[in-house]
Amino acid sequence: MKIVLGADLAMAGGNSPVVGLLKRLRFAQAQTDVVHAVPPPTYTGWEYDPVIAPAVLAEAAQRDREYATEAMEKVVIELGGDSKPVVTMGNPTERLMMHADQNHADLIAINGTAAGPLVAFLTGSVARGLVIGAHQSVLLARGASEELRPLRAVLATDHSPYSERCMARLTQLWPQGIQHITVLSAFPEERIRAMEPMLPTMAVEPTQAVRETLEVKNKALIEKLSGCFHPMLTTFESRVSSLDVHEAIAEAMKETEAELLILGAHGHSFLERLTLGSVSFRESVFSPYSVLVVRA
């Protein structure tokens, strides 16, 4: 498995959330490129000097590269395993996606920062850019990662065909460090009850029928996943909620003490990923916990 870890200079100081989370997830046979993009140096006024500017800018760029390479080597040491530093120049989001595509990566991992809707929309953050544009699955790490604490996750699914393919992809990524997974499905009970007068008479109440159907689908998914994860290391449970999907996720994360939310990417075209209302986009950019967005 190939991972691209997007790193900044601050990570050289240690205790980076994404490094800690990757170590806890323990992806099988992972090879990790620790990639840092150095922004091109700009000095207002000097660029107008045809003699001085190129030499000064080249020297500054070289110093930036050397400093960044030294910092990334420290990150590699902390991460351990089969990893190497890569220093490039340019826009971080573009460089991470380009490196991931060129090296056929399976996952891009970065430190994610939760932000308000307006801030996240206007700033064009790296997390937002990757969730929208990357062809790979994306891991956004938030908060301190306690290595001695068992890693618990909530896997939210709508059981759509694309979501099912994402779950199959999850088994290929095979994060061996997750000790418990809660498979969560949510349905709008209030909406269904509002539609009941328009529905034909049924032997089973519509909301009950939906709940029972989702329980069956959750258990079928758990059976598939448990056959791929180590039965002695990972346990599963099913949870069906009648709350709004975002409320259901927040409640499940809190009640199960989960640190990681796993979602299938909603849609695979650029336009579908750009839709601000998608569950995967909103949760990955705005939520306070770590998120793994799986793309099939």
Side-chain angles (χ1 to χ4, degrees):
M1 176 183 171
K2 186 73 172 182
I3 299 173
V4 171
L5 169 58
D8 55 41
L9 298 177
M11 290 170 60
N15 299 317
S16 168
V18 67
V19 171
L21 185 56
L22 281 175
K23 290 166 70 175
R24 293 175 71 193
L25 282 167
R26 292 192 292 114
F27 288 104
Q29 298 179 336
Q31 297 177 317
T32 306
D33 286 354
V34 179
V35 179
H36 174 71
V38 179
T42 56
Y43 297 91
T44 304
W46 291 6
E47 60 268 31
Y48 297 111
D49 189 319
V51 177
I52 298 177
V56 171
L57 293 177
E59 183 180 347
Q62 182 60 29
R63 286 200 306 269
D64 289 343
R65 275 182 173 273
E66 291 173 356
Y67 181 76
T69 300
E70 183 179 345
M72 293 310 102
E73 287 173 350
K74 293 179 181 179
V75 178
V76 165
I77 292 173
E78 183 187 359
L79 183 62
D82 187 0
S83 54
K84 66 177 182 180
V86 177
V87 175
T88 182
M89 295 195 71
N91 177 277
T93 306
E94 294 175 358
R95 290 298 172 179
L96 285 173
M97 291 193 294
M98 183 182 299
H99 187 88
D101 288 344
Q102 291 175 346
N103 291 273
H104 308 288
D106 303 288
L107 176 72
I108 302 176
I110 64 167
N111 283 326
T113 302
L118 183 59
V119 174
F121 180 74
L122 294 178
T123 59
S125 68
V126 176
R128 177 176 178 271
L130 291 176
V131 172
I132 292 173
H135 299 116
Q136 297 77 17
S137 299
V138 177
L139 176 66
L140 307 172
R142 297 187 175 102
S145 191
E146 303 176 25
E147 291 192 35
L148 297 179
R149 181 182 175 186
L151 183 57
R152 303 173 66 87
V154 169
L155 189 160
T157 177
D158 59 4
H159 296 291
S160 65
Y162 186 71
S163 178
E164 294 296 325
R165 294 199 297 275
C166 289
M167 295 308 100
R169 180 62 178 149
L170 176 64
T171 63
Q172 295 172 353
L173 297 177
W174 195 26
Q176 302 173 68
I178 302 178
Q179 296 197 12
H180 184 78
I181 298 177
T182 299
V183 176
L184 170 69
S185 294
F187 68 99
E189 182 174 353
E190 291 185 3
R191 246 184 253 175
I192 294 175
R193 290 196 181 280
M195 294 171 58
E196 283 182 359
M198 297 177 282
L199 298 174
T201 304
M202 301 174 64
V204 180
E205 184 183 16
T207 54
Q208 181 184 345
V210 172
R211 180 178 292 276
E212 291 176 354
T213 299
L214 290 177
E215 284 284 5
V216 170
K217 290 186 175 183
N218 278 4
K219 291 176 180 177
L221 177 56
I222 287 174
E223 186 174 350
K224 291 180 182 178
L225 293 174
S226 59
C228 300
F229 285 79
H230 196 294
M232 299 298 293
L233 299 179
T234 307
T235 57
F236 295 85
E237 68 172 310
S238 170
R239 186 182 181 108
V240 176
S241 175
S242 58
L243 296 174
D244 166 81
V245 62
H246 299 290
E247 294 177 3
I249 289 172
E251 181 183 78
M253 294 292 294
K254 180 179 180 180
E255 293 185 355
T256 64
E257 298 183 334
E259 297 175 72
L260 176 67
L261 172 64
I262 303 173
L263 293 161
H266 274 217
H268 41 80
S269 72
F270 179 79
L271 183 60
E272 287 172 314
R273 281 180 257 157
L274 193 59
T275 302
L276 296 180
S278 77
V279 175
S280 57
F281 180 90
R282 289 180 58 185
E283 289 293 335
S284 59
V285 175
F286 306 140
S287 65
Y289 25 76
S290 298
V291 180
L292 173 59
V293 181
V294 182
R295 181 157 286 124

